[in-house]
């Protein structure tokens, strides 16, 4: 049996910068996320993954953002080869999309990756969107749904967990959540007809993990609360859409969530129903946040209850993946 502290650590996926992930793995860290700088040669990367697996007391998610196009992390070991972004891969036809996804999945699995933060199923309705653009399959909702089914099924078939993102849909934003908190002022009906629809379809088709964006959607909250910390948004995902899998935030270092305070944001998110967090680094400050959550949970029954619920969901997904 794992204790409360180890269950809290299971809720975090950390990057390698800062080096704290090494000791965190011995405390039950849920996973590691890799970036381009981590992947210099196939041999070096394989050795890094092997070391992580040998250190972890619980099998970790070994994760990456590998969408193709401008969001690709393995370019250093491709010899210059680039995968097409979602938009251009989709435009070459569904057969090409399936073939490219299969290539990505086999490459990732070959390194030991078991979780990919893809596909991006935002509907790119705003031509001035600074962050989505070609990362979206299309500006048409039915095209995005069709593409998601193929990509997610291909990853699953090849042993990689796909994580659909960025709920409830980043496609209408006119700002970058890495830099600020984007505002989306659409009615719930408008959101449901376009931006939420691909997530509804993905969930109906058995999605295992959903990433929630750092966006403010006025249809969920009048206050400027990011959907990643919003009880209303998370309740919609679990209750209205019936999602029973793992809910993970976008990177918690992003400016879209920073103003809420790192510890406060984590506590808000857990109480809202979020199950996991991504931090692109693992410096002392990040480890301190995890330890503070552990301390607070000892005397906060609501927090403790949601940590227990999250731990069960994470275990269920890991049992599905690792057997």
């Amino acid at each position: 049996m794992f204790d409360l502290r180890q269950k809290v650590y299971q809720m975090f996926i950390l990057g390698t910068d800062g080096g704290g992930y090494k000791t965190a793995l011995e405390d039950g860290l849920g996973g590691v996320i890799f970036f381009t700088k981590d992947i210099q040669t196939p041999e070096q990367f394989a050795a890094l993954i092997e070391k992580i697996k040998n250190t972890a007391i619980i099998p970790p998610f070994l994760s990456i953002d590998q969408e193709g196009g401008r969001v690709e992390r393995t370019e250093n070991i491709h010899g210059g080869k680039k995968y097409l972004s979602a938009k251009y891969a989709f435009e070459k036809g569904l057969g090409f999309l399936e073939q490219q996804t299969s290539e990505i999945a086999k490459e990732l699995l070959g390194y030991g990756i078991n979780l990919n933060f893809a596909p991006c199923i935002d509907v790119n309705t705003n031509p001035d969107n600074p962050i989505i653009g070609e990362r979206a399959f299309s500006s048409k909702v039915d095209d995005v749904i069709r593409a998601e089914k193929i990509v997610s099924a291909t990853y699953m078939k090849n042993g990689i967990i796909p994580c659909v993102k960025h709920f409830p849909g980043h496609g209408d934003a006119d700002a970058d959540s890495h830099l600020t908190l984007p505002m989306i002022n659409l009615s719930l009906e408008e959101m449901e007809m376009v931006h939420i629809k691909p997530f509804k379809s993905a969930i109906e088709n058995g999605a295992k993990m959903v990433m929630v964006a750092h966006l403010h959607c006025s249809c969920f909250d009048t206050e400027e609360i990011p959907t990643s910390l919003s009880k209303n948004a998370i309740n919609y995902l679990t209750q209205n859409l019936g999602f029973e899998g793992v809910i993970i935030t976008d990177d918690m270092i992003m400016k879209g969530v920073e103003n809420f305070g790192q510890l406060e944001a984590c506590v808000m998110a857990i109480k809202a129903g979020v199950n996991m967090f991504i931090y692109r680094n693992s410096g002392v400050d990040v480890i301190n946040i995890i330890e503070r959550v552990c301390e607070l949970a000892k005397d906060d029954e609501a927090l403790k209850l949601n940590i227990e619920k999250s731990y069960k969901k994470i275990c269920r997904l890991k049992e599905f993946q690792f057997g």
Side-chain angles (χ1 to χ4, degrees):
M1 284 293 293
F2 293 101
D3 61 25
L4 180 63
R5 183 166 172 270
Q6 290 161 331
K7 289 172 182 177
V8 172
Y9 267 89
Q10 271 293 287
M11 296 175 68
F12 290 81
I13 292 179
L14 306 182
T16 62
D17 268 7
Y21 76 98
K22 296 173 186 173
T23 53
L25 286 163
E26 297 172 357
D27 292 318
L29 183 66
V32 179
I33 182 169
F34 302 105
F35 294 91
T36 307
K37 63 173 183 52
D38 298 307
I39 309 169
Q40 298 301 322
T41 68
E43 297 75 20
Q44 164 269 330
F45 190 42
L48 173 61
I49 282 189
E50 194 59 28
K51 194 168 184 182
I52 287 167
K53 285 161 80 173
N54 290 338
T55 306
I57 61 167
I58 303 171
F61 289 126
L62 299 163
S63 65
I64 199 165
D65 287 297
Q66 187 85 334
E67 299 171 20
R70 71 174 191 250
V71 182
E72 188 171 321
R73 309 301 190 205
T74 58
E75 56 257 41
N76 287 338
I77 49 181
H78 274 163
K81 178 189 171 184
K82 292 280 283 181
Y83 295 111
L84 294 185
S85 63
K87 177 180 188 288
Y88 298 116
F90 178 74
E91 286 175 355
K92 283 179 77 76
L94 299 182
F96 179 87
L97 182 63
E98 183 176 0
Q99 179 191 335
Q100 175 173 282
T101 306
S102 182
E103 282 179 32
I104 294 172
K106 284 170 182 168
E107 181 191 13
L108 297 181
L109 197 64
Y111 303 134
I113 299 288
N114 51 44
L115 168 61
N116 191 10
F117 295 118
C120 177
I121 60 172
D122 305 292
V123 184
N124 194 47
T125 52
N126 185 347
D128 297 322
N129 195 317
I131 188 61
I132 300 300
E134 69 184 56
R135 296 172 65 194
F137 294 110
S138 176
S139 58
K140 296 176 182 171
V141 64
D142 289 340
D143 286 347
V144 173
I145 288 170
R146 206 160 29 239
E148 183 278 325
K149 284 179 181 173
I150 288 169
V151 171
S152 289
T154 304
Y155 278 128
M156 292 287 283
K157 187 172 72 179
N158 285 283
I160 304 284
I161 298 167
C163 174
V164 293
K165 62 186 186 184
H166 309 81
F167 179 82
H170 216 302
D172 201 62
D174 60 4
D176 181 350
S177 52
H178 292 85
L179 307 174
T180 187
L181 179 63
M183 306 290 174
I184 294 186
N185 294 308
L186 298 176
S187 69
L188 183 58
E189 186 182 21
E190 289 173 297
M191 287 294 290
E192 286 176 333
M193 283 175 63
V194 180
H195 301 284
I196 290 174
K197 207 170 180 182
F199 292 94
K200 184 174 189 289
S201 172
I203 290 162
E204 286 169 353
N205 287 315
K208 306 291 183 190
M209 183 180 277
V210 173
M211 182 187 290
V212 184
H214 304 312
L215 297 168
H216 173 247
C217 292
S218 58
C219 65
F220 290 123
D221 296 283
T222 50
E223 283 181 75
E224 287 185 12
I225 298 172
T227 44
S228 51
L229 313 184
S230 164
K231 198 162 200 166
N232 294 333
I234 303 303
N235 278 351
Y236 183 93
L237 180 55
T238 56
Q239 293 173 24
N240 295 56
L241 299 185
F243 183 60
E244 296 178 347
V246 172
I247 300 167
I248 191 166
T249 66
D250 208 341
D251 187 358
M252 292 295 285
I253 302 297
M254 290 161 66
K255 299 285 184 187
V257 75
E258 190 180 64
N259 291 344
F260 288 79
Q262 288 291 343
L263 176 63
E264 293 78 5
C266 277
V267 171
M268 271 182 77
I270 295 168
K271 288 189 173 181
V274 164
N275 309 125
M276 294 195 84
F277 300 91
I278 299 171
Y279 280 85
R280 64 171 43 246
N281 58 35
S282 56
V284 173
D285 55 336
V286 176
I287 301 301
N288 284 343
I289 291 163
I290 303 175
E291 290 291 349
R292 291 288 306 282
V293 172
C294 296
E295 286 300 311
L296 288 173
K298 289 177 185 175
D299 301 312
D300 187 326
E301 286 302 319
L303 188 62
K304 191 188 294 183
L305 180 64
N306 276 15
I307 289 164
E308 292 288 349
K309 286 179 182 174
S310 294
Y311 177 69
K312 283 175 185 167
K313 285 188 175 186
I314 295 162
C315 284
R316 198 158 63 229
L317 184 53
K318 288 193 172 182
E319 281 165 17
F320 170 82
Q321 180 65 8
F322 303 125

